């Protein structure tokens, strides 16, 4: 994607990996078909952008379910994620260069005029330095680059660098964050007051993520070279130099979180996903943009360690920086989906194909990449905020290989966005990919990145106003011209040589990237790489196996029901089966199996069976925790595009056993509480009744509406302001008596989601909904192709010297904001890893109508994973 024309580049560096393979490969999809898909991308962008402008501007972001803008301070706080919002029309700034790339020059010019006239940066508000840098500063610089390009072609002749002046103003407002002894920036800054003093309401933080400190150089260097002020680039270089100095020298890996004052690693797990990802990306791209050889050497040093320790093709699994052979997680987060694209830039195409194919198969299994998923490709965190990283890697792999397969992948992305995320007022993030429920959220990066990569995937050269290979994409997909590499920066102070005493190891420089025409002389080669990975994902559902005894062991393998966590003999048997124990800092013992580490294939099979037995025993002894359900509004004008997360009932009709769910028009019960015989029974008959929580048991409400002839019921929380965004899943219990007489389905909505339904009923005479276990595709019912049959249960268990109580052995799966802890049996695929956690403490039960458990109580057993998720949301990479 980034061809190098810089005079500062060594001529030995020849970026050839973007050479096309044979033209015949691209003929599988006709130009007409590509044109139709390209036009579809444009229509989808218009739908998202125009709804932001109509319903949200000048707010920072659009809330697509309620058709209004998200203004910080006026909506319930979402925690650190709101630090991206600074009352500076975030989405419009983030979208500027997207408008230009999509050849919407009229809209681009109008948007620039709006930003210049309306946006103010002198706001008394605390924002994320990282997010403000990549989204707002990057957006202003990308918009400036496009405005200059258009002015040079005879358009926008009125433009006098207004966006650049705003960018410098913003850069100066971010600079106080870098006033630390290490040079690493504070994670937050007050746009008006900086970081010092009580009025700033910040400056007390001690930790930041590696990516937060290491994803500054492109924007700050571009700002320096556009303006001639070297200050910004110098600060960004200092932060990068410090991170390099603090790498673990044995593994050459960096941790996820670092103390900005002492430089000590706070979180020592290392991967290529949340918290670290764009640090690696910016080392490579800083070399491309700035021509400094040290950035390439650092990247190559890190990359060699990534491929040695983290890469387990097709997986990318976090490790500990001091013990890189010890896994830190047995699940992956969706942010690592950018990495195949970075490998394309590196020229390492084969592992890029393999990892991308794994991600594609997970996408086909769940419609979107879950925010996190396990090594056997099941949901770990079920949220999906319409992240663009997978589309990004798809585009770069197509550019590198010209394999039409990636055009079909792009088509799948488009179809899933339209089928599952599109709503009347834009595109809504997925709250739970399993149920298809939505979140009232459309992040600015959706417009900044997703539509750029999808448009470029299907565009021909004549569809573009300019040559994109003259630009480098930032991590937010903003366009910075490669001509900046030759821009004068003579006023820059001498750089601190943090590599003193280290020889520049030329052997670690890979000055040339391979021509893909030589890599793939056989067009079938990429397909041959993909097939085994497709099979691994397809075969990841649990399957019974026939027991065979390992030769030489002289006895049957260890059975799960006999296992004792501190029995040395049992531990040795586990070792032979490729199963190891990891003692977590919170006291839990995690069982991890790597089939490749078993002493034989038979022992590996015994290990997989042991893991499965653990889960089967726990599922037999633990009370079932029902997964969330979905309320899907299917009538005009929603047509199934609004899906609300609903809590299940432990009685009544089991929607998971219904292929079609229950569909009907809704009506409000009278009395609304439903605690006595209904006075509007004739109206409720044949419909789904809406009820308010309180005054009586849920089962009593269900009996009253059932007696009136209702076909289903929805209970709406009476606690004003409650939302599935912030509260754990609520599960309705019975009344202590036999509830077999209740045969209709009853679901629970929190106040916010219930209000969406009530507002729809207020504005439309008739509202029809579908009650189901998951949202139905428009026009299809039943499970999606590739789904695995699963049971979702909760289990926890202490590790002791006696046989482990199997009812307390856990695997875990969480739907982020909903804090739903689910359960699935784990059967590891060949060559992959799976895990079970043996935990101390009881899982708190969920109350009936009295009150839902607090999130802290519900999540106590999962604190380590929850901390990791909070860090991921905090970084928002």
């Amino acid at each position: 994607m980034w061809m190098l024309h810089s005079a500062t580049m060594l001529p030995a560096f020849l970026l050839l990996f973007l050479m096309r393979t044979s033209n015949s490969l691209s003929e599988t999809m006709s130009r007409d078909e590509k044109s139709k898909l390209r036009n579809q991308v444009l229509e989808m962008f218009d739908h998202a952008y125009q709804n932001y402008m109509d319903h949200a501007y000048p707010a920072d972001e659009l809330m697509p379910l309620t058709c209004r803008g998200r203004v910080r301070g006026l909506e319930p706080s979402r925690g650190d994620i709101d630090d991206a919002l600074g009352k500076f029309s975030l989405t419009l700034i983030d979208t500027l260069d997207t408008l230009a790339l999509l050849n919407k020059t009229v809209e681009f010019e109008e948007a620039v005029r709006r930003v210049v006239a309306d946006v103010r940066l002198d706001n008394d508000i605390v924002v994320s330095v990282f997010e403000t840098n990549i989204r707002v500063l990057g957006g202003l610089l990308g918009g400036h680059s496009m405005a200059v390009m258009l002015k040079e072609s005879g358009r926008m002749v009125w433009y006098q660098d207004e966006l650049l002046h705003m960018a410098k103003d913003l850069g100066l407002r971010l600079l106080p964050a870098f006033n630390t002894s290490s040079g690493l920036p504070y994670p937050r800054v007050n746009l008006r007051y900086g970081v010092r003093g009580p009025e700033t309401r910040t400056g007390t933080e001690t930790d930041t993520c590696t990516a937060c400190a290491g994803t500054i150089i492109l924007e700050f260097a571009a700002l320096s070279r556009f303006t001639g002020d070297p200050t910004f680039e110098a600060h960004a270089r200092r932060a990068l130099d410090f991170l390099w100095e603090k790498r673990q020298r044995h593994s050459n890996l960096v941790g996820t979180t670092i103390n900005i004052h002492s430089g000590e690693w706070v979180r020592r797990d290392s991967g290529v996903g949340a918290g670290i990802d764009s640090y690696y990306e910016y080392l490579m791209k800083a070399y491309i943009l700035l021509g400094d050889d040290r950035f390439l050497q650092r990247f190559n040093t890190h990359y060699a360690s990534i491929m040695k320790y983290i890469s387990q093709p097709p997986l990318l699994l976090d490790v500990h920086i001091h013990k890189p052979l010890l896994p830190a997680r047995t699940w992956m987060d969706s942010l690592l989906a950018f990495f195949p694209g970075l490998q394309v830039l590196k020229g390492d195409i084969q592992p890029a194909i393999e990892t991308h194919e794994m991600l594609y198969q997970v996408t086909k299994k769940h419609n979107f990449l879950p925010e996190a998923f396990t090594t056997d490709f099941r949901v770990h965190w079920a949220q999906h905020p319409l992240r663009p990283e997978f589309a990004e890697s798809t585009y770069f792999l197509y550019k590198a290989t010209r394999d039409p397969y990636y055009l079909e992948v792009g088509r799948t992305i488009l179809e899933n966005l339209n089928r599952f995320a599109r709503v009347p007022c834009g595109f809504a993030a997925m709250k739970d990919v399993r149920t298809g429920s939505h979140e009232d959220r459309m992040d600015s990066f959706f417009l900044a990145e997703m539509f750029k990569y999808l448009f470029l995937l299907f565009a021909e050269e004549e569809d573009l106003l300019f040559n994109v290979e003259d630009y480098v994409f930032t991590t937010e997909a903003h366009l910075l011209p490669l001509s900046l590499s030759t821009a004068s920066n003579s006023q820059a102070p001498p750089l601190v040589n943090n590599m003193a005493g280290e020889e520049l190891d030329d052997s670690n420089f890979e000055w040339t990237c391979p021509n893909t025409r030589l890599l793939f002389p056989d067009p079938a080669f990429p397909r041959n790489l993909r097939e085994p990975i497709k099979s691994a994902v397809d075969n990841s559902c649990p399957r019974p196996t026939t027991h065979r005894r390992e030769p030489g062991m002289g006895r049957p393998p260890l059975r799960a029901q006999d296992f004792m966590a501190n029995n040395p003999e049992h531990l040795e048997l586990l070792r032979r089966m490729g199963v190891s124990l990891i003692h977590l800092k919170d006291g839990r013992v995690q069982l991890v199996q790597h089939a490749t580490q078993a002493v034989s294939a038979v022992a590996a099979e015994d290990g997989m069976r042991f893991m499965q037995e653990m889960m089967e025993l726990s599922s037999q002894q633990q009370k079932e925790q029902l997964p969330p359900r979905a309320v899907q509004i299917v009538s005009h004008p929603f047509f199934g595009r609004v899906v609300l997360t609903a809590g299940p009932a432990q009685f009544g009709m089991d929607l998971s056993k219904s292929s079609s769910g229950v569909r009907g028009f809704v009506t409000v019960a009278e009395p609304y509480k439903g605690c006595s015989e209904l006075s509007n029974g004739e109206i409720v008959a044949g419909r789904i009744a809406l009820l308010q929580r309180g005054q009586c048991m849920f089962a009593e409400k269900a009996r009253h509406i059932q007696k009136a002839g209702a076909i289903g019921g929805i209970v709406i929380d009476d606690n004003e302001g409650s939302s599935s965004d912030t509260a754990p899943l609520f599960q309705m219990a019975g009344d202590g008596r036999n509830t077999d007489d209740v045969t209709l389905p009853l679901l629970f909505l929190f106040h916010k989601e219930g209000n969406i339904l009530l507002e729809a009923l207020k504005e439309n005479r008739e509202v029809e909904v579908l009650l189901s276990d998951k949202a139905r595709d428009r026009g299809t019912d039943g499970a999606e192709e590739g789904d695995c049959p699963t049971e979702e249960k909760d289990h926890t268990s202490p590790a002791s010297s006696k046989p482990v109580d199997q009812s307390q052995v856990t695997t875990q799966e969480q739907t982020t904001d909903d804090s739903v802890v689910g359960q699935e049996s784990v059967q590891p695929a060949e060559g992959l890893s799976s895990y079970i956690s043996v935990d101390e403490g009881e899982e708190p039960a969920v109350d009936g109508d009295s009150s839902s458990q607090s999130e802290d109580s519900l999540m106590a057993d999962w604190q380590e994973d929850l901390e990791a998720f909070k860090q991921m949301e905090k970084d928002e990479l």
Side-chain angles (χ1 to χ4, degrees):
M1 178 62 217
W2 305 274
M3 302 303 292
L4 303 185
H5 306 293
S6 168
T8 65
M9 299 296 171
L10 293 181
F13 187 90
L14 304 175
L15 197 60
L16 300 177
F17 66 88
L18 295 179
M19 297 292 291
R20 298 186 181 187
T21 56
S22 62
N23 290 332
S24 61
L25 282 177
S26 62
E27 293 174 357
T28 303
M29 180 177 286
S30 68
R31 287 176 66 94
D32 285 345
E33 187 65 18
K34 286 181 67 176
S35 178
K36 289 179 182 177
L37 292 171
R38 183 179 66 254
N39 290 336
Q40 187 176 2
V41 173
L42 292 173
E43 185 279 328
M44 293 167 65
F45 171 83
D46 288 341
H47 178 68
Y49 177 71
Q50 201 56 52
N51 271 289
Y52 166 75
M53 296 304 296
D54 291 345
H55 299 293
Y57 181 81
D60 283 317
E61 289 181 343
L62 170 68
M63 299 173 68
L65 297 184
T66 51
C67 301
R68 68 179 192 272
R70 184 181 295 281
V71 179
R72 192 167 171 184
L74 299 184
E75 300 293 333
S77 173
R78 300 176 298 171
D80 293 338
I81 192 175
D82 281 340
D83 288 343
L85 311 180
K87 297 183 179 179
F88 35 37
S89 300
L90 172 63
T91 296
L92 184 60
I93 292 177
D94 219 1
T95 309
L96 286 175
D97 53 3
T98 306
L99 288 165
L101 180 68
L102 271 54
N103 204 4
K104 295 181 176 292
T105 55
V106 174
E107 293 89 341
F108 172 73
E109 183 170 358
E110 180 184 354
V112 172
R113 290 185 185 274
R114 282 181 180 268
V115 169
V116 172
D118 299 345
V119 174
R120 295 293 175 266
L121 300 172
D122 184 28
N123 300 323
D124 179 11
I125 193 167
V126 176
V127 296
S128 161
V129 172
F130 166 77
E131 295 289 356
T132 305
N133 174 66
I134 66 170
R135 299 202 206 187
V136 186
L137 182 57
L140 291 170
L141 293 171
H144 171 68
S145 300
M146 295 294 97
V148 170
M149 179 270 298
L150 289 172
K151 184 176 182 179
E152 290 173 350
S153 65
R155 286 169 282 192
M156 288 187 67
V157 293
W158 58 268
Y159 182 70
Q160 298 295 323
D161 297 344
E162 289 87 349
L163 294 179
L164 181 59
H165 299 323
M166 294 180 68
K168 184 172 183 179
D169 180 18
L170 180 61
L172 291 171
R173 295 179 186 280
L174 295 179
L175 278 183
F178 291 81
N179 188 21
T180 62
S181 58
S182 67
L184 299 180
Y186 284 98
R188 297 174 186 83
V189 67
N190 186 298
L191 288 177
R192 179 176 295 174
Y193 297 113
V195 296
R196 295 296 174 87
E199 71 276 8
T200 67
R201 303 184 303 282
T202 189
T204 59
E205 303 94 335
T206 59
D207 305 336
T208 193
C209 73
T210 302
C212 298
T215 311
I216 305 290
I217 185 66
L218 292 187
E219 293 82 4
F220 269 41
L223 182 58
S224 282
R225 298 187 180 215
F226 271 131
T227 62
D229 184 344
T231 307
F232 306 102
E233 183 174 336
H235 278 290
R237 283 178 176 268
R238 185 183 176 209
L240 273 182
D241 290 344
F242 189 83
L243 288 173
W244 172 252
E245 279 295 304
K246 292 301 177 179
R247 76 193 185 281
Q248 210 289 323
R249 298 303 178 98
H250 171 69
S251 65
N252 279 317
L253 295 172
V254 292
T256 302
T257 308
I258 191 170
N259 184 293
I260 61 176
H261 304 297
S262 68
E264 293 294 320
W265 291 109
V266 178
R267 283 183 52 201
R268 300 183 178 187
D269 48 312
S270 184
V272 296
I276 303 179
D277 50 359
S278 50
Y279 163 68
Y280 295 133
E281 178 186 1
Y282 270 38
L283 285 177
M284 171 61 91
K285 292 181 179 179
Y287 168 69
I288 293 173
L289 187 64
L290 307 177
D292 189 329
D293 299 341
R294 288 175 297 178
F295 291 131
L296 180 62
Q297 188 201 33
R298 293 176 187 180
F299 173 80
N300 282 333
T301 300
H302 284 314
Y303 186 78
S305 293
I306 290 169
M307 299 309 290
K308 180 178 181 179
Y309 300 118
I310 295 171
S311 177
Q312 300 181 32
L315 309 181
L316 293 162
L317 295 176
D318 285 18
V319 300
H320 295 277
I321 58 174
H322 293 90
K323 298 180 180 179
L325 297 178
L326 184 65
R329 291 179 185 169
T330 51
W331 46 269
M332 296 164 279
D333 66 69
S334 63
L335 292 171
L336 61 76
F338 91 102
F339 197 68
L342 186 60
Q343 290 179 306
V344 169
L345 178 60
K346 162 75 174 171
D348 199 0
I349 308 294
Q350 179 168 334
I353 290 173
E354 293 171 337
T355 297
H356 179 275
E357 181 62 19
M358 178 270 292
L359 295 168
Y360 182 42
Q361 295 304 322
V362 173
T363 297
K364 287 174 37 172
K365 200 180 191 72
H366 303 294
N367 299 321
F368 298 98
L369 273 182
E371 200 72 323
F373 52 94
T374 63
T375 53
D376 65 339
F377 316 113
R378 300 178 188 267
V379 173
H380 187 61
W381 296 330
Q383 188 185 36
H384 174 77
L386 306 184
R387 293 197 186 278
E389 286 80 10
F390 180 64
E392 174 185 358
S393 289
T394 301
Y395 164 63
F396 289 128
L397 271 169
Y398 177 66
K399 286 286 288 186
T401 66
R402 288 294 172 178
D403 187 339
Y405 178 83
Y406 297 108
L407 297 176
E408 295 301 328
V409 175
R411 187 203 302 268
T412 299
I413 296 171
L414 283 182
E415 290 176 350
N416 287 347
L417 285 171
N418 269 324
R419 289 161 60 194
F420 303 112
R422 186 166 181 149
V423 294
C425 287
F427 291 84
M430 308 304 296
K431 179 179 289 295
D432 192 320
V433 297
R434 297 165 303 182
T435 65
S437 58
H438 291 134
E439 189 174 356
D440 202 2
R441 169 182 178 186
M442 190 179 82
D443 292 82
S444 67
F445 55 68
F446 182 61
L447 286 164
E449 301 182 67
M450 181 71 80
F451 293 108
K452 277 196 186 86
Y453 293 125
L454 291 176
F455 180 79
L456 288 170
L457 179 64
F458 299 115
E460 305 292 349
E461 288 185 10
E462 58 267 26
D463 298 320
L464 302 174
L465 281 174
F466 55 91
N467 185 358
V468 293
E469 293 180 7
D470 290 336
Y471 295 81
V472 62
F473 279 141
T474 70
T475 195
E476 190 79 0
H478 292 307
L479 294 155
L480 300 178
L482 290 174
S483 59
L484 289 174
S485 60
T486 58
S488 173
N489 200 20
S490 58
Q491 301 178 43
L495 297 174
V496 177
N497 185 359
N498 286 321
M499 300 177 67
E502 297 182 19
E503 291 293 328
L504 207 61
D505 182 6
D506 286 345
S507 66
N508 200 29
F509 283 70
E510 297 181 14
W511 294 106
T512 60
C513 294
N515 185 333
T516 54
R517 190 177 299 170
L518 303 178
L519 266 182
F520 307 132
D522 178 7
F525 181 64
R527 182 174 66 250
N528 293 338
L529 290 176
R530 291 191 292 260
E531 282 304 315
I533 298 162
K534 181 178 185 299
S535 300
V537 179
D538 285 346
N539 297 329
S540 63
C541 300
R543 284 173 171 75
T545 55
T546 305
H547 172 65
R548 293 174 293 155
R549 182 175 301 181
E550 180 185 355
M553 289 192 72
R555 56 187 167 182
L558 178 65
R559 307 307 297 266
Q561 62 264 33
D562 302 324
F563 172 63
M564 291 186 291
N566 67 343
N567 185 315
E569 185 179 0
H570 288 182
L571 297 181
E572 172 61 18
L573 291 174
L574 291 187
R575 185 194 67 78
R576 296 180 64 84
M577 295 188 295
V579 179
S580 57
L581 268 70
I582 299 175
H583 294 272
L584 304 179
K585 61 185 179 182
D586 60 1
R588 287 184 295 162
V589 177
Q590 181 170 283
L591 299 178
V592 182
Q593 198 229 8
H594 294 277
T596 56
Q597 296 178 7
V599 296
S600 70
V602 174
E605 183 179 340
D606 290 339
M608 290 191 291
R609 183 180 305 105
F610 174 83
M611 302 288 278
Q612 185 173 358
E613 284 180 356
M614 275 285 193
M615 295 314 308
E616 290 172 348
L617 287 172
S618 64
S619 66
Q620 292 170 10
Q621 298 179 23
Q622 269 290 332
K623 181 179 179 180
E624 181 174 354
Q625 172 73 28
L626 297 174
R629 305 303 190 202
V631 175
Q632 187 171 10
I633 307 178
V634 297
S635 55
H636 175 83
F638 306 97
F639 300 116
R641 300 197 182 279
V642 173
V643 184
L644 308 174
T645 297
Q650 295 175 351
F651 56 87
M653 179 180 175
D654 185 352
L655 290 169
S656 66
K657 297 178 180 178
S658 171
S659 61
S660 58
V662 172
R663 179 169 179 160
F665 291 96
V666 298
T667 192
V668 177
E670 295 178 6
Y672 190 22
K673 294 286 186 181
C675 294
S676 59
E677 188 171 335
L678 302 191
S679 60
N680 63 338
E682 293 182 359
I683 299 175
V684 169
R687 291 175 171 252
I688 295 173
L690 301 183
L691 306 146
Q692 189 177 47
R693 178 184 179 184
Q695 293 186 2
C696 63
M697 302 298 288
F698 292 119
E700 186 177 348
K701 297 176 189 287
R703 290 187 178 99
H704 284 135
I705 63 172
Q706 181 171 290
K707 182 178 179 181
I711 60 174
I714 299 173
V715 178
I716 298 174
D717 195 8
D718 60 348
N719 181 16
E720 187 171 350
S722 67
S723 167
S724 62
D725 291 344
T726 56
L729 181 73
F730 189 81
Q731 185 167 288
M732 296 180 288
D735 55 5
R737 296 183 292 146
N738 189 311
T739 54
D740 291 345
D741 59 313
V742 179
T743 58
L744 52 67
L746 191 70
L747 298 183
F748 179 88
L749 290 178
F750 283 107
H751 189 267
K752 177 183 175 182
E753 287 77 12
N755 265 1
I756 292 175
L757 186 56
L758 291 172
E759 285 297 319
L761 188 60
K762 186 184 300 182
E763 295 177 10
N764 303 274
R765 293 186 60 185
E766 293 282 13
V767 173
E768 188 177 16
V769 301
L770 173 67
L771 312 184
S772 59
D773 63 328
K774 63 184 292 186
R776 296 293 187 259
D777 185 14
R778 290 68 178 159
T780 58
D781 290 322
E784 292 294 323
E785 181 180 355
D787 280 357
C788 294
T790 62
E791 293 182 11
E792 302 191 21
K793 307 173 191 286
D794 288 336
H795 313 290
T796 54
S797 144
S800 63
S801 59
K802 61 183 180 180
V804 175
D805 180 357
Q806 308 302 345
S807 69
Q808 298 173 351
V809 177
T810 75
T811 60
Q812 56 209 37
E813 174 183 319
Q814 179 189 344
T815 65
T816 60
D817 289 346
D818 277 341
S819 302
V820 180
V821 178
Q823 175 65 50
E824 292 184 343
S825 299
V826 173
Q827 172 66 45
E830 185 67 28
L832 307 179
S833 65
S834 60
Y835 75 99
I836 297 173
S837 296
V838 182
D839 202 353
E840 294 195 354
E842 292 289 327
E843 171 71 12
V846 180
D847 254 341
D849 197 26
S850 56
S851 66
S852 61
Q853 291 289 334
S854 70
E855 184 172 5
D856 289 342
S857 173
L858 186 63
M859 299 305 298
D861 294 330
W862 315 104
Q863 191 58 40
E864 186 170 87
D865 281 352
L866 190 57
E867 288 175 3
F869 174 72
K870 287 180 179 177
Q871 181 68 38
M872 187 174 173
E873 285 283 30
K874 180 177 179 180
D875 303 339
E876 196 59 23
L877 305 180

